[in-house]
Amino acid sequence: MALCLGLVFVLAGGTAWIWWANRGPEGAGVEVPADVEQDLLPVNEWSRPGTPLERIDGVVIHYVGNPGTTAQANRNYFASLASGEEGTYASSHFIVGLEGEVVQCVPLTEVAYASNGRNEDTVSVEVCHPDETGAFAPVTYRRLVELTAWLCQTFRLDPEEAVIRHYDVTGKACPLYYVENPEAWTDFLRDVAAELEAMS
């Protein structure tokens, strides 16, 4: 009897392992919110390599560093890198715009070139800003909170641990305002946590 039970557990464990190993990218089958505009980059070496994003352990927040530019303009910049003329690797999964619009550039099943050593296990979000301080406009900030909370809910992430700045990966002053004002970053994480709780 014990031997039979042991065999059942071994077979069940083996089946679970096979399912886990072959489940594909964690973002497979995830539908983005209806108000997110999907304008995916063409697959290319420089901004959308098509590399599978097997797991999602975090969300990395960036700022575009180009005051006053729109989400679409930044998406088009990423697309322009496909020629290779600039020799620049750059992209992001999402861009949140000045009016709160959100453009998806890279599928959640693929790596984006945004966060250096964390490209392989994170979703990246670029954020537009009206001026050189890098502070996000209220409507942009609110939409970023909602998008980040949705990502945390979808991928079972704890905002306090899994939502980070580009700065936390590389030391680059990005997103600038939230590096120079760490209390604003703490407030952002608190707002994301509150939004996540409200969604539950």
Side-chain angles (χ1 to χ4, degrees), residues 77-121:
Y77 167 70
F78 290 148
S80 76
L81 299 176
S83 68
E85 292 177 13
E86 290 193 35
T88 298
Y89 295 93
S91 58
S92 184
H93 290 95
F94 298 97
I95 305 172
V96 182
L98 296 171
E99 303 299 325
E101 72 278 20
V102 180
V103 176
Q104 182 180 17
C105 304
V106 176
L108 289 167
T109 54
E110 297 178 20
V111 166
Y113 286 146
S115 307
N116 303 79
R118 293 300 305 273
N119 286 339
E120 302 299 327
D121 74 334

Side-chain angles (χ1 to χ4, degrees), residues 51-91:
T51 306
L53 179 61
E54 299 291 354
R55 69 184 194 281
I56 295 172
D57 296 328
V59 179
V60 185
I61 307 299
H62 307 256
Y63 87 131
V64 298
N66 194 2
T69 56
T70 66
Q72 191 64 46
N74 283 281
R75 179 266 173 210
N76 293 344
Y77 167 70
F78 290 148
S80 76
L81 299 176
S83 68
E85 292 177 13
E86 290 193 35
T88 298
Y89 295 93
S91 58

Side-chain angles (χ1 to χ4, degrees), residues 56-61 118 121-123 148 152 155-165 185 189:
I56 295 172
D57 296 328
V59 179
V60 185
I61 307 299
R118 293 300 305 273
D121 74 334
T122 59
V123 172
T148 306
C152 288
F155 297 107
R156 301 168 305 281
L157 304 173
D158 177 356
E160 291 293 329
E161 297 178 1
V163 179
I164 60 176
R165 302 163 294 183
W185 178 251
L189 294 179

Side-chain angles (χ1 to χ4, degrees), residues 4-86:
C4 287
L5 281 174
L7 186 57
V8 167
F9 283 122
V10 167
L11 289 173
T15 302
W17 171 252
I18 290 169
W19 171 82
W20 178 261
N22 295 303
R23 75 192 191 288
E26 194 171 357
V30 172
E31 291 189 24
V32 298
D35 58 353
V36 172
E37 178 190 351
Q38 291 185 296
D39 193 0
L40 301 179
L41 303 172
V43 176
N44 70 90
E45 176 185 355
W46 301 93
S47 58
R48 185 187 165 192
T51 306
L53 179 61
E54 299 291 354
R55 69 184 194 281
I56 295 172
D57 296 328
V59 179
V60 185
I61 307 299
H62 307 256
Y63 87 131
V64 298
N66 194 2
T69 56
T70 66
Q72 191 64 46
N74 283 281
R75 179 266 173 210
N76 293 344
Y77 167 70
F78 290 148
S80 76
L81 299 176
S83 68
E85 292 177 13
E86 290 193 35

Side-chain angles (χ1 to χ4, degrees), residues 105-194:
C105 304
V106 176
L108 289 167
T109 54
E110 297 178 20
V111 166
Y113 286 146
S115 307
N116 303 79
R118 293 300 305 273
N119 286 339
E120 302 299 327
D121 74 334
T122 59
V123 172
S124 55
V125 182
E126 287 277 358
V127 187
C128 299
H129 47 97
D131 58 42
E132 292 183 1
T133 68
F136 306 148
V139 65
T140 304
Y141 180 90
R142 183 65 207 152
R143 191 65 187 95
L144 176 62
V145 167
E146 293 170 353
L147 177 65
T148 306
W150 174 79
L151 287 165
C152 288
Q153 180 186 58
T154 301
F155 297 107
R156 301 168 305 281
L157 304 173
D158 177 356
E160 291 293 329
E161 297 178 1
V163 179
I164 60 176
R165 302 163 294 183
H166 189 184
Y167 170 80
D168 299 313
V169 181
T170 66
K172 179 180 179 179
C174 172
L176 180 64
Y177 182 81
Y178 300 89
V179 172
E180 293 183 340
N181 299 276
E183 69 284 353
W185 178 251
T186 299
D187 290 343
F188 171 72
L189 294 179
R190 188 178 298 120
D191 289 343
V192 171

